[in-house]
Amino acid sequence: MGGTGFEGSLFLEFENGGALWKLSWRTPEPGVTLYRWSYRRKKPGASWKERAAQKEEELPREEVEPRGGLAEQALRAAYEGGEHPQGFQGQVYLPVDCR
């Protein structure tokens, strides 16, 4: 059971700007949710909005390995109101519904 047309995204910034990951999701049919991770290259001196507007790239494997678990912990902490995991230096930008 469920609907379609649900979509959204959130950003994780590691190392205080050293890496910007994006998790996006959508529901193309009831009961199916597709998730996609993407990445923005480091751009010295760019604002968060400028980096978010950069072209999406596939997440580099060398970043997935060491940061994947940390990303999960940071997302859980952001949604559940807990502390950021030890070693996470950055921000989690959650989606906001302004309706």
Side-chain angles (χ1 to χ4, degrees):
M1 302 297 272
T4 61
F6 296 101
E7 58 184 50
S9 62
L10 56 82
F11 285 92
L12 284 110
E13 179 182 65
F14 290 92
E15 299 173 0
N16 292 321
L20 187 63
W21 290 15
K22 178 183 179 184
L23 174 63
S24 54
W25 58 89
R26 64 185 178 91
T27 54
E29 59 185 76
V32 176
T33 303
L34 300 175
Y35 296 93
R36 181 175 184 271
W37 282 104
S38 61
Y39 167 85
R40 271 85 172 145
R41 289 193 183 276
K42 184 173 184 176
K43 189 173 180 182
S47 72
W48 179 85
K49 286 184 178 183
E50 290 170 325
R51 296 218 30 236
Q54 282 179 258
K55 180 183 174 203
E56 293 183 355
E57 299 181 29
E58 187 173 328
L59 199 55
R61 171 65 84 201
E62 63 273 7
E63 288 205 29
V64 173
E65 298 294 330
R67 293 187 173 141
L70 199 57
E72 179 185 1
Q73 292 173 30
L75 287 172
R76 287 185 189 279
Y79 272 105
E80 296 169 1
E83 295 286 321
H84 284 306
Q86 192 163 12
F88 179 77
Q89 296 177 334
Q91 299 292 322
V92 178
Y93 301 96
L94 300 175
V96 175
D97 185 352
C98 296
R99 285 183 262 158

